Amino acid sequence: MTTQSSTPLVTLKLLNKEYGQFTAVNHINLEIEKGEFLTFLGSSGSGKSTTLSMIAGFETPTSGEILLHNNSLIHVPSHKRGIGMVFQHYSLFPHMNVRDNIGFPLDIRKVPKPERDKKVDEILKLVQLSDFADRRPNMLSGGQKQRVAIARALVYEPEILLMDEPLGALDKKLREDLQDELRQIHRRLGITIIYVTHDQDEAMRLSERIAIFKDGEIVGLGSGTELYNTPPNAFVASFLGNSNFLKVRIKSESQAQFEQQLLTLGTQSHRIPDQTDVLLMIRPENIYVLPKEQAAQEPLAADMNEILATVEETVFLGESYTCTLVTQSGQRLMGKAVAREHTDVTAGSEVCVRWSTQHSCVYEQWSEQDIMKAS
Ligand code: ADP
Ligand code: MG
């Protein structure tokens, strides 16, 4: 881990890209530390690839700055940036075998043959393709082709590896295997990886930090845990994982009650004015559903909230079960629990829904669009 005082490896400053009237990347600021695995996550068209292409040097920014070790990259041609790149489509040379495909970047850099062969052998081992070195790409599976592409990008030891949806064309199982391999490669080489995906599971699995893209802007930045547990806004809460949103109005007759309300809404950090409509977010797994009779016997702890609801449906999913609830004001909530707990909650029954104030987030500003499931 780098210390806070060190210069970031890559700095994006007010990076902007316009296509005619259309803003694809909107004044992004971002610092990327040496050795980190950072993922750009966002739905299609949110500006991830455009940002990556500007870092790679395939696209020229309309304005803004890209710094590598504090030096501007804007006028440095792509091949002199020390950056490796892997795309979804393998772009391997069909007439060359695996060994020569991987060796190609060294050949154009005129690396002497013994050194070239040694490096290619090492990297073949790293991506577990030593036994396939003499095959042509058309004799490889999709996963193997993508490993060749990764090896080819790594062989000249770039400082940064950029990957744009590299596993997008592979099926789920293979994708997960390659995700594990990528994590290992990252650990072993200590290389800086900037990765693009629209798949949140993939982003969570791979990355140390995730930058969430929306309409050309970064609207969330942090570890998967941070973004999931304390999303900075309703969009991120909705985008990442499952979430319940409750629209509530802060009401208070007296100051004392007002303070109490702030507490029950889980927001001690700042004051929300009286009569404000706020959005409360609670993850399904943080919702406790109790049959009314049981709730009567379990007093509400000081840091818990409680509302009444009716169970609409319960769905058993093996390791867990989910429960759709409708509150008295007609808002729908989803609860999720480990299957061996709460087995006596049935459709149609009236229940108490409880959650800890520590598990709720409050947003004062949001739009309906933010909380519609985007992906
Ligand atoms: P993502 O990778 O997140 O799916 P992109 O960065 O590829 O998104 O694209 C962001 C937006 O910019 C999209 O709306 C896309 O249509 C637009 N865009 C990308 N490249 C061009 C281009 N060469 N000309 C015009 N619009 C473009
Ligand atoms: Mg893209």
Side-chain angles (χ1 to χ4, degrees):
M1 284 285 112
T2 39
T3 58
Q4 280 185 327
S5 59
S6 68
T7 320
L9 179 66
V10 180
T11 307
L12 310 182
K13 275 191 188 164
L14 294 173
L15 191 64
N16 197 56
K17 179 69 183 180
E18 319 224 326
Y19 294 109
Q21 299 283 67
F22 181 78
T23 304
V25 176
N26 193 359
H27 300 95
I28 282 181
N29 292 302
L30 183 65
E31 293 186 346
I32 300 154
E33 300 298 331
K34 188 172 167 53
E36 85 168 312
F37 198 130
L38 173 76
T39 295
F40 295 170
L41 172 66
S43 43
S44 176
S46 57
K48 309 177 299 288
S49 296
T50 308
T51 305
L52 206 71
S53 296
M54 290 192 280
I55 299 172
F58 303 144
E59 289 281 0
T60 311
T62 307
S63 61
E65 189 51 279
I66 303 170
L67 304 173
L68 179 66
H69 297 297
N70 245 344
N71 300 314
S72 175
L73 280 185
I74 299 291
H75 300 293
V76 178
S78 181
H79 65 279
K80 291 199 174 149
R81 294 188 181 193
I83 288 174
M85 183 96 199
V86 181
F87 300 96
Q88 178 169 340
H89 299 289
Y90 326 110
S91 58
L92 301 179
F93 301 113
H95 58 285
M96 287 185 192
N97 66 20
V98 167
R99 182 184 299 282
D100 291 339
N101 261 287
I102 296 175
F104 182 77
L106 301 177
D107 296 338
I108 56 171
R109 285 173 175 78
K110 308 228 164 21
V111 175
K113 188 154 187 338
E115 191 187 334
R116 179 246 198 218
D117 289 347
K118 185 166 162 276
K119 283 200 164 149
V120 171
D121 281 338
E122 280 170 13
I123 213 90
L124 275 167
K125 222 155 112 191
L126 183 77
V127 298
Q128 302 178 41
L129 283 177
S130 302
D131 295 342
F132 299 85
D134 299 321
R135 290 204 189 172
R136 294 248 174 116
N138 64 0
M139 293 174 65
L140 299 173
S141 70
Q144 289 165 338
K145 281 186 213 168
Q146 203 52 306
R147 296 218 291 272
V148 176
I150 293 167
R152 192 178 57 184
L154 287 172
V155 75
Y156 62 94
E157 297 169 11
E159 200 165 9
I160 306 171
L161 181 62
L162 305 181
M163 308 182 90
D164 194 343
E165 312 250 5
L167 311 183
L170 308 176
D171 66 40
K172 189 167 186 288
K173 174 76 180 74
L174 197 53
R175 217 160 56 217
E176 288 177 0
D177 290 348
L178 271 161
Q179 286 162 2
D180 291 341
E181 273 183 47
L182 265 179
R183 265 207 317 268
Q184 280 178 31
I185 289 172
H186 175 248
R187 238 193 342 259
R188 276 206 248 164
L189 301 183
I191 190 174
T192 307
I193 298 183
I194 310 176
Y195 194 96
V196 164
T197 184
H198 66 273
D199 177 343
Q200 55 165 291
D201 288 342
E202 182 162 280
M204 289 284 205
R205 235 170 224 275
L206 286 173
S207 338
E208 288 159 340
R209 276 201 307 162
I210 299 172
I212 307 221
F213 276 67
K214 180 190 177 226
D215 300 336
E217 294 178 17
I218 294 176
V219 295
L221 179 67
S223 70
T225 322
E226 286 162 355
L227 291 173
Y228 185 84
N229 290 332
T230 50
N233 49 58
F235 175 82
V236 171
S238 166
F239 187 77
L240 223 51
N242 294 312
S243 37
N244 288 303
F245 293 103
L246 275 179
K247 290 166 197 164
V248 294
R249 169 163 291 188
I250 308 273
K251 272 194 215 161
S252 57
E253 311 322 322
S254 69
Q255 188 60 26
Q257 202 183 341
F258 182 46
E259 305 269 317
Q260 182 60 28
Q261 287 244 329
L262 288 186
L263 183 69
T264 56
L265 287 175
T267 168
Q268 286 101 316
S269 57
H270 65 299
R271 286 174 157 263
I272 299 170
D274 193 11
Q275 301 299 328
T276 309
D277 288 320
V278 297
L279 190 68
L280 196 61
M281 192 286 290
I282 316 149
R283 298 288 184 193
E285 65 273 23
N286 292 327
I287 280 188
Y288 307 100
V289 182
L290 293 93
K292 258 183 161 174
E293 315 78 66
Q294 194 182 331
Q297 287 154 29
E298 287 182 31
L300 192 67
D303 66 338
M304 298 286 278
N305 269 311
E306 179 179 79
I307 53 173
L308 294 177
T310 306
V311 179
E312 190 174 64
E313 186 182 39
T314 61
V315 181
F316 178 67
L317 296 167
E319 64 184 22
S320 66
Y321 87 101
T322 62
C323 185
T324 318
L325 308 153
V326 183
T327 68
Q328 290 182 321
S329 61
Q331 302 190 65
R332 209 168 242 97
L333 292 179
M334 180 77 83
K336 181 178 179 186
V338 178
R340 70 185 112 82
E341 299 167 3
H342 309 294
T343 42
D344 44 359
V345 171
T346 49
S349 65
E350 296 229 321
V351 291
C352 289
V353 176
R354 293 180 176 180
W355 67 91
S356 162
T357 54
Q358 289 157 16
H359 287 147
S360 57
C361 297
V362 177
Y363 305 109
E364 284 173 77
Q365 284 175 339
W366 80 94
S367 70
E368 288 298 326
Q369 250 182 347
D370 287 346
I371 59 177
M372 283 186 337
K373 198 70 196 170
S375 63

